[in-house]
Amino acid sequence: MGLLQYFRKDKPKKGTAKLAKDRLQIIVAHEHSSFDVPSYMPELQKELVAVIRKYMDISSHDVKCEFNDRADDDMSVLEVNVTLPKNK
Amino acid sequence: MAKVIVVTSGKGGVGKTTSSAAIGTGLAKTGAKTVVIDFDIGLRNLDLIMGCERRVVYDLINVINGEANLQQALVKDKRVDTLFILPASQTRNKDALTQEGVALVIEALKADGFEYIICDSPAGIEQGAMMALYFADEAIVTTNPEVSSVRDSDRITGMLSSKSYRSEKQMEPVKVHLLITRYSPERVEREEMLSIEDIDDILGIDLLGVIPESQDVLSASNLGEPVILNQESDAGKAYQDAVDRLLGTPRDLRFVTIEKKGFLSRIFGG
Ligand SMILES: Nc1ncnc2c1ncn2[C@@H]1O[C@H](COP(=O)(O)OP(=O)(O)O)[C@@H](O)[C@H]1O
Ligand SMILES: [Mg+2]
């Protein structure tokens, strides 16, 4: 190994800790928001689709359910959005 | 008032047992009657780290099943008068660890005058770990400066606030402390390792202490002497600081920056 290489090898590899922190911040934030979502949400969405289908012709993607449980609020919000096809 | 303190982490091999032994010993040295309970059913280890493995006769599961009473199962430490350990069973399966059983044992320990009940949790989020944390008043979340350990610590902190007795009974939440172990200031300096600030940013838990990576931890386990008893050692001193803070005495952080090196070792990067 040449002298130059020796010094280069010794040179610290900067920045992997920074990447570790960034990745952790993203995954931890994601896990916090998904842990708060009740486990019955997929079932609820399916049943809502079934009920609306009795009256209208919609696809299962037309019903969007979102659950929001923010720590700084003292209530949770269940948001249901139904997009209806036009002229039907 | 007796205090139940769980030492937990989610991830295995981060230093829970080392920390339980050290902190339990440190608390007992103040004269407070202290017991360290090994919840790692099937993988008993605390007895070895505390150096009392040859005096274990009965275990936690024996007490829960009524096959032995508490006095028979408690192993008294040879060095610190007020220190006891309650070993884990080496043979039974984890299902033997019932919530009712653990409740009875903790009640009996309190009635017996124990002031600190330290629960050394197994890894994971299964029955053993959940039972170790269920009755906790305080928690010491043990974390290595490494991605998987930090993520698991966050998970377990969530469990403490949703799956503990205190949360279920809507009492004041479990008081959670962060203990960073195996910290290497050199590697942090080289930006190879998450720093104390990084971990704090992500977890947002009160910092109880930072234990440096230290060869003395291995020699302490070889000897069966909790590392806190070695006050020559940086790790031992850092554990003592953590115990002092736990008892309310402020202590500055030590061993978190690079030691000043001599000229020669500096140019040779030793
Ligand atoms: N501060 C430290 N420095 C060096 N090695 C450590 C330190 N803390 C723990 N270890 C080592 O890490 C390993 C796992 O420790 P242990 O306390 O058994 O972890 P856990 O109970 O979380 O599985 C052991 O070999 C122990 O000697
Ligand atoms: Mg252990």
Side-chain angles (χ1 to χ4, degrees):
Chain A
M1 199 195 303
L3 195 60
L4 206 70
Q5 225 173 345
Y6 176 81
F7 277 112
R8 195 170 296 144
K9 188 170 162 254
D10 229 13
K11 216 175 192 167
K13 194 164 123 213
K14 287 260 176 192
T16 59
K18 171 82 171 64
L19 186 60
K21 184 184 181 184
D22 293 347
R23 290 172 60 217
L24 271 170
Q25 273 174 326
I26 292 166
I27 192 66
V28 163
H30 175 76
E31 284 177 345
H32 280 191
S33 61
S34 60
F35 287 152
D36 292 341
V37 174
S39 55
Y40 55 70
M41 285 301 284
E43 194 61 25
L44 176 69
Q45 199 263 358
K46 255 170 52 192
E47 287 190 35
L48 284 174
V49 171
V51 170
I52 298 171
R53 264 200 192 144
K54 283 188 184 170
Y55 308 97
M56 282 171 251
D57 183 20
I58 58 162
S59 92
S60 62
H61 306 292
D62 294 333
V63 179
K64 297 249 184 310
C65 295
E66 211 163 297
F67 189 88
N68 275 307
D69 187 13
R70 268 167 311 182
D72 46 338
D73 272 357
D74 50 26
M75 59 178 170
S76 311
V77 176
L78 172 65
E79 203 179 348
V80 180
N81 275 304
V82 186
T83 24
L84 298 176
K86 271 208 167 137
N87 307 324
K88 272 189 190 171
Chain B
M1 251 307 267
K3 244 185 216 168
V4 180
I5 305 175
V6 63
V7 180
T8 185
S9 70
K11 192 172 182 340
V14 297
K16 290 180 293 295
T17 301
T18 304
S19 301
S20 300
I23 292 171
T25 304
L27 289 169
K29 270 180 38 193
T30 67
K33 201 171 168 189
T34 302
V35 60
V36 189
I37 310 178
D38 190 347
F39 275 82
D40 209 341
I41 309 302
L43 289 172
R44 166 156 96 207
N45 263 332
L46 182 70
D47 55 340
L48 270 178
I49 301 301
M50 308 257 303
C52 63
E53 70 279 3
R54 293 180 57 191
R55 292 186 292 124
V56 171
V57 184
Y58 294 107
D59 59 58
L60 176 60
I61 303 296
N62 290 139
V63 179
I64 288 178
N65 291 345
E67 296 151 358
N69 66 38
L70 200 54
Q71 299 315 319
Q72 292 172 302
L74 286 170
V75 182
K76 191 173 186 303
D77 189 79
K78 286 248 160 96
R79 297 153 297 221
V80 185
D81 259 359
T82 48
L83 180 60
F84 295 79
I85 95 154
L86 187 50
S89 167
Q90 195 59 314
T91 52
R92 307 304 176 83
N93 74 39
K94 294 177 179 51
D95 302 334
L97 204 58
T98 61
Q99 189 169 300
E100 299 71 39
V102 175
L104 283 176
V105 170
I106 288 180
E107 278 320 306
L109 288 166
K110 285 181 179 172
D112 201 28
F114 278 96
E115 289 177 61
Y116 294 104
I117 301 169
I118 312 296
C119 304
D120 177 19
S121 175
I125 50 172
E126 314 269 295
Q127 181 75 355
M130 297 321 279
M131 283 305 103
L133 70 75
Y134 189 73
F135 294 102
D137 300 307
E138 299 191 20
I140 297 174
V141 174
T142 310
T143 307
N144 290 168
E146 177 269 322
V147 284
S148 54
S149 173
V150 174
R151 181 199 207 169
D152 288 359
S153 291
D154 185 66
R155 280 288 308 268
I156 213 78
T157 305
M159 303 283 181
L160 284 160
S161 63
S162 63
K163 300 262 174 359
S164 61
Y165 180 83
R166 280 180 170 268
S167 68
E168 285 177 4
K169 296 284 181 260
Q170 282 159 19
M171 296 160 68
E172 199 181 309
V174 179
K175 190 165 166 194
V176 183
H177 310 271
L178 173 65
L179 183 69
I180 300 176
T181 57
R182 312 199 68 163
Y183 194 73
S184 167
E186 291 80 12
R187 306 198 68 183
V188 171
E189 179 82 6
R190 292 200 300 263
E191 297 177 14
E192 294 171 3
M193 184 182 262
L194 291 164
S195 66
I196 301 168
E197 295 74 28
D198 292 339
I199 300 172
D200 179 60
D201 278 353
I202 291 157
L203 295 177
I205 308 171
D206 283 346
L207 185 65
L208 178 68
V210 179
I211 313 299
E213 172 78 23
S214 159
Q215 305 192 341
D216 301 325
V217 173
L218 180 61
S219 13
S221 72
N222 288 342
L223 296 170
E225 270 191 13
V227 69
I228 197 170
L229 292 174
N230 177 3
Q231 281 298 307
E232 306 279 289
S233 151
D234 289 356
K237 291 179 196 163
Y239 272 118
Q240 185 60 54
D241 289 349
V243 168
D244 293 345
R245 292 186 200 107
L246 197 60
L247 294 170
T249 311
R251 291 274 182 252
D252 288 339
L253 281 178
R254 292 193 274 177
F255 320 115
V256 294
T257 50
I258 300 183
E259 284 168 56
K260 287 192 183 59
K261 285 185 177 152
F263 174 71
L264 277 180
S265 68
R266 224 182 314 140
I267 56 167
F268 289 115

